[in-house]
Amino acid sequence: MEKTTNRRGVAVVAALMLGAFAFNTTENLPIGILKLMADDLDRSLTAVGLLVSGYGLTVALVSVPIAQVTRSVPRRLVLCALLAALLLASVVSALVPSYWVLMGARLVTAVAQALFWAVMGPVAVGLFPPHVRGRVIGALSVGGSAALVLGVPGGTWLGQHTGWQVPFLVVGALVVPSFVVIATVLPTSRPEEGHAARGVRPDRRRFVVVLGVTALTVTGVFTGYTYVSQFLVDESGFSESSVSTLLLVLGVTGIVGVTVYGRLLDRFPRATLTVPVATQAVALLGLYAAGDSRAVATVMLVFLGASLGPIFMATQSQVMYVAPGRTETAIAANSAAYNSGVAAGALAGGLLLPLVGVRGTFLVGGLMTLAALALLLEEHLPRAAPQAAVPAHEHEDADARP
C-alpha cells in the first residue's frame, strides 16, 4: 500500500478490523453461553436462542434501507455513532439483567452492525489506491473472521468462569480504541467523494449473479453446518470432547484462507470467488459421501474452513467493483443476502433433518453450492449477442477483472 495514505489509512483499517471483530463477536456471543444466560434470566434455551436468530434477521432486513437513508451522512460521524451504539448496548446488556432489555440492546446492535458492514469497506478502500482494494477488503475480513476463532470461544471461556455479563463488558471495552481512532484519524469527507463511492465497472447482471452466489452458498453451507457437531459425533465417530478442537481447526483454516485469498483478490478476482465456491461444494459433498471416515471428515472440514470466509470476502470485493450504484448499498445488499442465507439454511436444515438425517443435510447443501458454481461458470461464458473485437492487450489482463 502506497506511502501517501499509509499511516492514517493503516490506523483506520486497524480500527475497522477491531470494530468488525467486536460486532461479529457480539452477534454470536450468546451461542457459547446460552445455558448460562437462560438459567440466569429464567428463560428457555429457545427464548435465549432468539437473541441470535433475531439479531441475524434484523441485519438481513435493515441492511439496504439503512444504507439508503444514511447515504449522505459523513462517514466519520456514521462510524462513531455506530461504535458508540455498540458500546452502549454492550454495557446495558451486562448491567441490566432483563430479557427484554437485552433483546432491545441486541436489536440496536444488529441495526448498527448492518450499517457498519455497509460503510466500512468503501471507507477503508477509499483511503488507498484503487489497485489494492482487494487487499484492504481482505484485511477487514480477517477482523470479522477472527471473531469466530478467538472472540466467541474466548467469550465462552470468560463467561463460564466469571458470569455471562462479563464478555459483553469486554466487547464494549474493545470498542473504545476503535472509536478514538475513527474520531481522530479518519478524514472528513462527503460519502459520495472518492473512487470507492461507486463501482469501478458497473455491471447490473454481474451484480445480481454475485448476490445469487452469496445467497446459494450461504444457504447451502448452513443447511449442513448448523448440525456439524451432531454429524461429527454420530456419523464420523468423534467424541464430543474433540468436536471443539475440530471446529477450532476449521476456524483457523478460515483465517488462513481469508489472508491468502485476500492478497490475490486484486490480481485474480474471478478465480478467488470461483475456487472457494468449488472447494465448499467438494467439502459438503465429501462429508456426505465419505464423512464416516475420520480422516476424510477432518480433511473436508479443512476444505470447508478454507472456503467459508473467502467466499463472502470475494463477493464483497466483487459487488464493490461492479456496483450499479453506490458501493455501500451494494455491500448492504450482499450482507442482507448473507444473513438471509444463514437464516434460510438453518431453517432448511431443521426441516430436512427428520426426513433425510444429518448426513442428507450436507448433500442438499452441497447441491445448492454446485448450483452457485454453475451460476458463476455460466456468467463467465461469452454472451450470445455479437460483440466488437477486443484488442489483444485487453486479453492479456482479462483475469484481472471481476
Side-chain angles (χ1 to χ4, degrees), residues 33-400:
I33 52 177
L34 207 63
K35 192 173 188 309
L36 293 175
M37 297 177 71
D39 291 343
D40 189 56
L41 296 171
D42 195 25
R43 297 281 175 168
S44 67
L45 289 175
T46 301
V48 178
L50 289 175
L51 296 173
V52 178
S53 57
Y55 190 111
L57 181 61
T58 300
V59 173
L61 291 176
V62 306
S63 289
V64 174
I66 196 170
Q68 292 278 17
V69 169
T70 60
R71 60 187 302 173
S72 62
V73 182
R75 282 349 193 184
R76 185 166 71 177
L77 176 59
V78 168
L79 287 169
C80 285
L82 299 178
L83 291 169
L86 175 57
L87 172 59
L88 180 61
S90 299
V91 172
V92 169
S93 297
L95 300 184
V96 183
S98 162
Y99 175 80
W100 291 111
V101 171
L102 184 57
M103 176 65 82
R106 295 280 295 172
L107 295 181
V108 168
T109 308
V111 173
Q113 179 171 330
L115 186 55
F116 183 85
W117 277 105
V119 302
M120 75 167 181
V123 165
V125 167
L127 297 173
F128 296 89
H131 66 272
V132 296
R133 65 167 52 202
R135 291 174 60 187
V136 176
I137 294 295
L140 297 177
S141 298
V142 170
S145 299
L148 296 178
V149 181
L150 301 174
V152 176
T156 299
W157 181 88
L158 191 61
Q160 291 171 343
H161 289 80
T162 61
W164 66 264
Q165 296 92 338
V166 175
F168 284 96
L169 289 175
V170 171
V171 169
L174 289 176
V175 174
V176 176
S178 181
F179 178 92
V180 171
V181 171
I182 296 298
T184 58
V185 177
L186 182 64
T188 55
S189 60
R190 297 178 63 82
E192 63 272 17
E193 295 175 353
H195 66 85
R198 295 188 176 275
V200 175
R201 183 168 295 182
D203 186 335
R204 188 174 297 277
R205 183 177 187 274
R206 177 69 177 174
F207 176 67
V208 172
V209 166
V210 175
L211 291 185
V213 169
T214 298
L216 283 170
T217 53
V218 175
T219 303
V221 74
F222 277 93
T223 296
Y225 182 68
T226 303
Y227 306 96
V228 67
S229 297
Q230 181 181 341
F231 180 94
L232 292 173
V233 173
D234 295 349
E235 300 292 332
S236 303
F238 287 103
S239 64
E240 292 187 3
S241 59
S242 64
V243 170
S244 59
T245 302
L246 291 168
L247 295 181
L248 178 62
V249 170
L250 183 149
V252 171
T253 307
I255 292 182
V256 172
V258 165
T259 303
V260 172
Y261 279 109
R263 301 188 68 84
L264 300 174
L265 276 175
D266 295 305
R267 294 178 59 195
F268 309 106
R270 290 184 183 271
T272 47
L273 178 55
T274 304
V275 172
V277 170
T279 304
Q280 178 175 300
V282 169
L284 293 173
L285 295 175
L287 285 169
Y288 165 73
D292 52 352
S293 164
R294 292 187 183 183
V296 172
T298 302
V299 172
M300 292 302 109
L301 280 180
V302 170
F303 282 4
L304 195 60
S307 59
L308 285 175
I311 289 175
F312 185 60
M313 175 186 66
T315 58
Q316 291 285 76
S317 180
Q318 288 270 313
V319 296
M320 278 195 68
Y321 194 93
V322 301
R326 290 278 288 273
T327 51
E328 66 265 25
T329 304
I331 291 179
N334 198 49
S335 179
Y338 179 91
N339 283 279
S340 298
V342 172
L347 177 61
L351 295 175
L352 289 168
L353 197 60
L355 300 176
V356 298
V358 65
R359 199 162 185 164
T361 62
F362 284 84
L363 171 61
V364 174
L367 293 176
M368 294 185 71
T369 306
L370 281 180
L373 182 61
L375 186 62
L376 270 180
L377 296 177
E378 187 278 333
E379 197 272 338
H380 290 176
L381 295 175
R383 306 288 190 271
Q387 294 183 351
V390 180
H393 71 274
E394 291 193 17
H395 286 290
E396 295 173 3
D397 63 348
D399 193 44

